[in-house]
Each structure stands twice: as structure tokens, then as C-alpha cells.
Amino acid sequence: MKIGSWLHRQLTSWRSLAPGQQQMMTALGLTPDTNPLAPARRTFEETVQLLELFLHREGRAPSARETIRVDGDTVNLGAWLAKTRTKHRTGQLPDDHARLVAALFDGDWTTENTAPATLA
């Protein structure tokens, strides 16, 4: 049996585990709340940093379906930027988030062909 499959089964059927099993799993730090199988979620600020690195390396904004690899994980950076643009256009993006992204571009960052800000 694969350990990942076993752990997934334990965590998804947590309520059916005996109290002793739950205690043992908790002592190991394995609970539904601390699920190590769940992918780590990046904060908005962390994703902006990834976008900044991409812009400096590539000299352009990512296309809508473009992905990058970070620490072995695939990040849908293009889709994230497209969704962020849409949220900004519809007034759903907080102002501080809009300022973070806008600082990376020359001009209106919500358009497809906006150039990245030039390096100082």
C-alpha cells in the first residue's frame, strides 16, 4: 500500500477512526487541519513576487495559459494574472493588491500587451 493513499484515507475518514487512532495521528501532527497532502497555497504577495521574477526573466507578461515550475510545483501564473485583471476590472480586487501588480508594469496593467516596468 502506498503511504499517500493510506494517509489520504485516514484523513478523509477521520470521524470513523477510533479515538486511539485519532490520538496517534494527532501526536504525529497528521490531522485533517494540518493535512500534509494538501498543496501549500501561496499568498497574493508571493504570487506577485513570482510574476516579478517572470517579467524580469522573460521581458513580457505571461500568456493566459502559461505556467512556471516553482519548487517542483506548477504555478498557473498566466491564469492568475488573467483572473487578477478581471477582478480589478470588476472592482473585486483590493486596492493594495492592485498597487502591487501595477508597480510591475508601465501603463495600464489590465490590458494584454502591457510592457513590464523597466529596471532601474
Side-chain angles (χ1 to χ4, degrees):
M1 177 179 285
K2 293 183 179 179
I3 188 71
S5 299
W6 175 84
L7 182 56
H8 176 74
R9 190 168 48 256
Q10 303 307 306
L11 296 175
T12 56
S13 61
W14 185 260
R15 290 188 172 167
S16 67
L17 295 179
Q21 290 173 307
Q22 288 181 1
Q23 289 171 352
M24 193 178 309
M25 296 287 288
T26 301
L28 294 171
L30 302 172
T31 68
D33 295 332
T34 61
N35 183 353
L37 298 176
R41 296 200 34 97
R42 286 181 178 75
T43 64
F44 188 90
E45 292 79 6
E46 290 170 333
T47 308
V48 169
Q49 288 178 336
L50 293 175
L51 176 60
E52 181 178 21
L53 293 171
F54 180 92
L55 294 171
H56 289 305
R57 186 182 70 216
E58 301 293 330
R60 61 176 177 78
S63 64
R65 294 180 183 235
E66 197 153 4
T67 62
I68 59 172
R69 299 281 292 167
V70 178
D71 297 331
D73 293 331
T74 300
V75 178
N76 297 320
L77 195 58
W80 177 86
L81 181 58
K83 187 174 183 178
T84 302
R85 285 174 170 156
T86 300
K87 283 185 174 185
H88 181 66
R89 285 187 207 116
T90 60
Q92 298 174 2
L93 188 68
D95 289 340
D96 57 329
H97 288 183
R99 282 191 298 274
L100 283 173
V101 179
L104 302 178
F105 292 93
D106 287 331
D108 182 10
W109 65 274
T110 62
T111 60
E112 291 292 321
N113 298 322
T114 303
T118 54
L119 296 174

